[in-house]
Amino acid sequence: MQKMSLLGDEAIAQAAIDAGMSGMYAYPGTPSTEINEYVLASREAREKGIVASWCANEKTAAESALGVSYTGKRAMTCMKHVGLNVAADAFVNSSITGANGGIIFLVADDPSMHSSQNEQDSRFYGKFAMIPILEPSNQQEAYDMVHYGFDLSEKFQVPVMIRITTRLAHSRSAVARKPAREQNKLGLPGNLRQFVLLPGIARKQYQALVDNQPRFVEESEQSAFNTYISGKDHKMGIIACGLAYNYLMENYPDRKVPYPVVKVAQYPLPEKHIRKIYEECDSLMILEEGYPIVEEMIRGLLNLSKPIKGRLDGTLPRTGELNPNIVGAALGMPQEGTLEIPSLVAARPPSFCAGCPHIDSFIGLNEVIETYGKGRVFSDIGCYTLSATPPYESINSCVDMGASITMAKGAADAGLVPAVAVIGDSTFTHSGMTGLLDAVNSKSNITVIILDNATTGMTGGQPSAALGKIEQICKGLGVEEDHIRVIKPLRRNHEENVKVLREEMEYNGVSVIIPRRECVQTLNKRMREKFKEKAKAAGK
Amino acid sequence: MKIDIILAGVGGQGILSIAATIGYAAVEAGLHLKQAEVHGMSQRGGDVQSHMRLSDQEIASDLIPKGQADLIISVEPMESLRYLPYLKKDGWLITNTKPFINISNYPDEEKLMAEIKALPNHIALDADSVASELGSVKAANMVVLGAASPFINIDFEKLENAIRTLFGRKGEELVTLNLNALNTGRKFSMEAQK
């Protein structure tokens, strides 16, 4: 079959389509977004009747995928690393229920925090849930591992995690496809209580998971993705995980590393390989993208073993993404001087697009907040988080999806007046609704601004689950109708909008203001498509 | 044969179209390819870059090591300088000279140009003006690619073919515009090197 040039994300999506997946569920989050986008745009996927959906959040996505697995069919759920925090309840418990049809949790980590609020390493979650983890080092492995991952999931009736990082997610390379596999037929679990985690059943299921651990290790040892590569110089052995293997190889143009190397791309760690390299070599170097999880395991708390170099002893930086230079320096390769960045080069941080509705919302908000003094605006995750930067400097928090409303509630309970929450439409239905219910129930004095741009903007304009529903949701949660105010954020409405904001901040209770205007990016896209269709129609 | 290219610009300026064009041509030429892109937050008017690696051998790292890029191709002058640590000592810098100013502390343009001209190997052209004269400023990225093309070891016809394929479904008008842009940029570059 002809090779395709695919992003890591796209390779995973194509593999899922080819491997007989029946359902894909996700909430957009960089760097995982392109996976579901690819499936949604794929004609092949449509023809095969694959269900692909954007869900309200990662937890609902993961649970839907688990529901597909229950029926015996294959499912994948995709999220960014912090999305797994949201889905953690479903994720960890799904390791106890186990799988029926193959299920893959695809989690994309973001070391160096290119587009995230932390760089947590999802391999910890995989280990915590005690399930196999696959960590591809390139696009082809990413493709192959989806096929293998589904098989593995069905073989052991356990969910499988595939962990990628930004660099692989958003890097393109040629990928060879495998022959397509049919989807599984509907088939209920042999034991209809498998998914009923009542304590009595859960204890048995958990024991089965624990009993399977040595088998997972065996599987890792036999896996073609984990390899032992001999080397003559036994002064050091290198354990290179996932993408780090490439950076190691980049430092040897002939691809011949003088030291023994264990390439790790499947966990639990292949004990035999690790034992062998440890016994053969005087010291070890651990190269891994993310947290020093493998290093910690091999080193142990007391560090009584042979010398182990990595992120913990300072051989490699403790934080941030690896690259060929960092790995080269760790290997003691001479790092030649390079040209320098001229001092006049200024930072160019991301900013609001020209014409963005958020600009008008924050100019209005800033004017009202000036009356009270800064430091009263809790915000959330989305394009509007850019209002933390000059010239706006409007917001004082950005923690996790939905935290704006609940943090404002806590601050209001503690006596902060006014306490303002700023949240986007998609983030509101992702994780804001329950917090608003809390605020209504305890009659907290908060002003919630739901910036409704009718899309999930930051990740590239995916549909918003909140579309056309926000007022009804707020009403249903018990916000008084008089205090649900819709405004249109435009420069010419400034005075009027400021008045509404001021009135609601003065109101002692829960009020919701909805500045509503479509994202300029999706508007432009829509207009372009409309224009194209018109031109097409005219051409006919 | 191995060529490492840093593509630079500001989110929304179309560096991924340049990448797609080179990428298509490289695959046609039977080369291995790795190309790391920037998606997400920075696409909102921030600095963006793409590491593009072509080789007749298998490529290990998605990222180019510092000091090893053969070329920096930039659609914005200040952005062209941001990645200098990646450029080989004898590498070439090809850049548009038209600034994209969306920050308040953008450097003085004369000083900026002086920095670019201080580099031994550079091609600098106002791709926006060239593209405007050809019909649309949107083709500025292809003017820059044209200017870089003499340094990319792939048959020029393959780059032209890539444009025909990639822009084909958007209409003949766009194909012609971008082909003209590519050729004009190339001509400029050839003249400049004489």
Side-chain angles (χ1 to χ4, degrees):
Chain A
M1 224 178 254
Q2 208 203 338
K3 283 193 174 185
M4 297 172 84
S5 176
L6 298 174
L7 294 177
D9 274 353
E10 295 170 345
I12 286 159
Q14 184 63 55
I17 295 168
D18 293 344
M21 173 187 74
S22 298
M24 158 86 74
Y25 302 86
Y27 182 81
T30 314
S32 70
T33 312
E34 292 81 358
I35 305 171
N36 198 30
E37 282 196 325
Y38 185 95
V39 178
L40 281 162
S42 159
R43 198 192 337 168
E44 239 176 299
R46 253 193 321 279
E47 284 166 3
K48 289 171 180 234
I50 294 171
V51 177
S53 17
W54 291 120
C55 304
N57 63 39
E58 292 85 354
K59 179 173 180 283
T60 65
E63 290 156 351
S64 298
L66 191 62
V68 172
S69 168
Y70 176 89
T71 69
K73 296 192 179 187
R74 291 183 161 186
M76 183 183 278
T77 177
C78 305
M79 60 203 72
K80 67 183 294 175
H81 57 336
V82 286
L84 185 54
N85 296 334
V86 178
D89 206 0
F91 173 69
V92 176
N93 286 308
S94 73
S95 77
I96 314 292
T97 64
N100 183 24
I103 175 169
I104 293 176
F105 282 79
L106 189 296
V107 192
D109 291 356
D110 190 19
S112 277
M113 305 179 223
H114 300 282
S115 293
S116 306
Q117 66 271 45
N118 76 30
E119 60 171 23
Q120 67 186 58
D121 189 325
S122 298
R123 292 176 302 166
F124 271 95
Y125 262 118
K127 187 171 185 299
F128 183 46
M130 299 192 281
I131 61 170
I133 308 165
L134 305 172
E135 188 189 12
S137 67
N138 59 44
Q139 294 77 357
Q140 184 66 56
E141 267 186 6
Y143 179 90
D144 295 341
M145 279 178 172
V146 171
H147 289 264
Y148 173 69
F150 276 126
D151 290 345
L152 191 64
S153 173
E154 286 172 1
K155 180 175 175 184
F156 291 104
Q157 300 241 297
V158 68
V160 167
M161 172 190 277
I162 297 183
R163 183 249 189 176
I164 59 170
T165 57
T166 308
R167 199 53 62 192
L168 180 62
H170 292 163
S171 178
R172 196 177 290 285
S173 192
V175 172
R177 288 172 66 180
K178 288 177 189 292
R181 175 193 180 279
E182 291 287 306
Q183 289 177 44
N184 291 350
K185 298 221 159 51
L186 203 69
L188 293 177
N191 168 10
L192 285 177
R193 305 204 316 161
Q194 180 191 334
F195 287 77
V196 186
L197 295 185
L198 275 168
I201 302 168
R203 278 183 212 112
K204 277 186 209 144
Q205 297 275 109
Y206 178 53
Q207 190 59 51
L209 177 67
V210 170
D211 291 344
N212 259 334
Q213 296 302 304
R215 278 170 218 128
F216 296 165
V217 174
E218 253 170 57
E219 199 71 31
S220 279
E221 287 168 349
Q222 284 155 16
S223 169
F225 296 117
N226 290 334
T227 48
Y228 190 99
I229 305 152
S230 308
K232 278 188 190 139
D233 188 345
H234 287 192
K235 280 200 283 297
M236 183 167 79
I238 300 173
I239 298 172
C241 309
L243 220 52
Y245 177 76
N246 302 343
Y247 300 140
L248 171 65
M249 286 301 156
E250 184 67 32
N251 278 284
Y252 298 93
D254 60 354
R255 307 287 181 254
K256 289 194 180 83
V257 183
Y259 313 105
V261 175
V262 174
K263 174 178 183 270
V264 174
Q266 181 174 343
Y267 307 80
L269 284 172
E271 276 178 35
K272 270 187 198 158
H273 303 358
I274 304 285
R275 196 172 297 284
K276 183 172 174 207
I277 198 166
Y278 182 80
E279 281 165 4
E280 267 185 16
C281 301
D282 304 336
S283 67
L284 290 182
M285 182 180 289
I286 320 284
L287 303 173
E288 54 191 321
E289 193 69 288
Y291 286 9
I293 171 171
V294 172
E295 192 179 344
E296 274 181 1
M297 278 194 282
I298 295 174
R299 195 182 218 249
L301 176 69
L302 301 178
N303 196 19
L304 299 173
S305 57
K306 295 176 183 173
I308 294 184
K309 293 177 216 158
R311 287 186 185 269
L312 291 172
D313 76 332
T315 303
L316 293 136
R318 174 63 184 77
T319 61
E321 191 184 7
L322 298 176
N323 63 43
N325 298 97
I326 289 175
V327 172
L331 291 163
M333 303 280 186
Q335 300 294 301
E336 282 169 37
T338 60
L339 296 170
E340 277 173 28
I341 306 173
S343 57
L344 57 71
V345 174
R348 196 190 304 256
S351 56
F352 289 127
C353 308
C356 174
H358 297 335
I359 295 174
D360 299 293
S361 296
F362 284 108
I363 290 173
L365 175 63
N366 278 359
E367 190 171 320
V368 182
I369 285 293
E370 214 169 278
T371 323
Y372 300 96
K374 276 184 174 277
R376 292 152 205 283
V377 181
F378 301 89
S379 192
D380 233 293
I381 317 271
C383 282
Y384 46 93
T385 318
L386 295 172
S387 69
T389 59
Y392 308 99
E393 301 181 63
S394 306
I395 60 166
N396 311 106
S397 80
C398 158
V399 182
D400 65 80
M401 295 284 282
S404 57
I405 296 178
T406 28
M407 280 184 71
K409 179 195 184 301
D413 291 350
L416 187 71
V417 185
V420 180
V422 180
I423 187 168
D425 51 334
S426 182
T427 308
F428 175 65
T429 43
H430 178 290
S431 286
M433 299 189 294
T434 45
L436 186 58
L437 180 61
D438 277 355
V440 167
N441 285 346
S442 49
K443 298 189 169 56
S444 300
N445 181 15
I446 62 167
T447 307
V448 179
I449 300 171
I450 304 176
L451 300 166
D452 183 7
N453 62 357
T455 191
T456 314
M458 182 60 98
T459 46
Q462 293 74 28
S464 164
L467 191 66
K469 300 188 174 76
I470 299 176
E471 291 96 308
Q472 285 159 284
I473 291 170
C474 294
K475 245 185 264 179
L477 292 171
V479 181
E480 292 166 51
E481 212 167 331
D482 292 348
H483 294 285
I484 301 173
R485 314 274 298 265
V486 180
I487 61 176
K488 186 158 192 182
L490 280 171
R491 194 179 297 173
R492 65 177 142 86
N493 296 347
H494 177 76
E495 296 306 324
E496 198 184 319
N497 292 346
V498 163
K499 187 167 162 279
V500 172
L501 285 162
R502 203 179 292 282
E503 280 169 10
E504 294 310 325
M505 268 186 235
E506 280 167 9
Y507 169 68
N508 185 356
V510 176
S511 50
V512 172
I513 300 154
I514 307 166
R516 175 170 291 147
R517 180 153 72 81
E518 186 176 359
C519 164
V520 286
Q521 294 288 350
T522 53
L523 179 70
N524 287 342
K525 199 167 140 198
R526 218 157 44 80
M527 289 302 145
R528 271 201 305 273
E529 271 158 24
K530 209 168 157 187
F531 180 77
K532 230 193 290 174
E533 266 167 44
K534 263 194 186 160
K536 218 177 178 183
K540 274 176 190 169
Chain B
M1 181 271 183
K2 174 169 107 62
I3 179 161
D4 287 338
I5 307 170
I6 300 269
L7 298 166
V10 179
Q13 275 196 310
I15 68 164
L16 291 184
S17 299
I18 300 182
T21 308
I22 302 174
Y24 191 90
V27 171
E28 288 286 287
L31 295 172
H32 292 273
L33 161 91
K34 276 203 177 181
Q35 185 221 326
E37 303 174 358
V38 170
H39 293 207
M41 207 156 174
S42 296
Q43 286 180 299
R44 301 276 164 271
D47 56 273
V48 290
Q49 105 300 107
S50 174
H51 288 222
M52 180 144 212
R53 316 195 71 188
L54 313 173
S55 173
D56 52 10
Q57 308 287 317
E58 199 130 348
I59 302 159
S61 165
D62 298 84
L63 294 174
I64 299 168
K66 286 192 177 144
Q68 281 195 29
D70 302 280
L71 286 179
I72 290 176
I73 304 176
S74 179
V75 288
E76 208 278 345
M78 183 179 80
E79 294 310 321
S80 76
L81 297 173
R82 195 184 298 282
Y83 306 99
L84 279 185
Y86 286 94
L87 192 63
K88 265 186 191 160
K89 292 272 159 66
D90 59 349
W92 280 81
L93 182 137
I94 293 95
T95 186
N96 186 3
T97 56
K98 175 76 181 170
F100 184 97
I101 303 177
N102 64 345
I103 49 171
S104 55
N105 56 339
Y106 195 90
D108 179 76
E109 284 182 45
E110 267 179 39
K111 284 183 187 155
L112 185 61
M113 286 316 296
E115 288 283 358
I116 291 170
K117 287 188 175 143
L119 293 163
N121 299 330
H122 72 270
I123 303 277
L125 79 170
D126 184 346
D128 281 42
S129 299
V130 174
S132 293
E133 274 169 36
L134 293 173
S136 166
V137 70
K138 282 188 176 164
N141 54 354
M142 288 302 140
V143 175
V144 178
L145 174 56
S149 64
F151 305 98
I152 302 172
N153 214 349
I154 297 176
D155 291 344
F156 186 65
E157 293 70 40
K158 289 209 164 66
L159 287 174
E160 290 184 311
N161 269 339
I163 287 180
R164 281 191 200 100
T165 312
L166 296 170
F167 291 92
R169 60 193 173 91
K170 292 179 182 169
E172 197 46 45
E173 216 173 306
L174 259 185
V175 171
T176 310
L177 170 70
N178 282 295
L179 284 175
N180 284 341
L182 188 79
N183 277 286
T184 312
R186 183 175 176 88
K187 212 179 281 170
F188 179 93
S189 189
M190 303 286 229
E191 293 289 325
Q193 284 180 79
K194 270 179 194 166

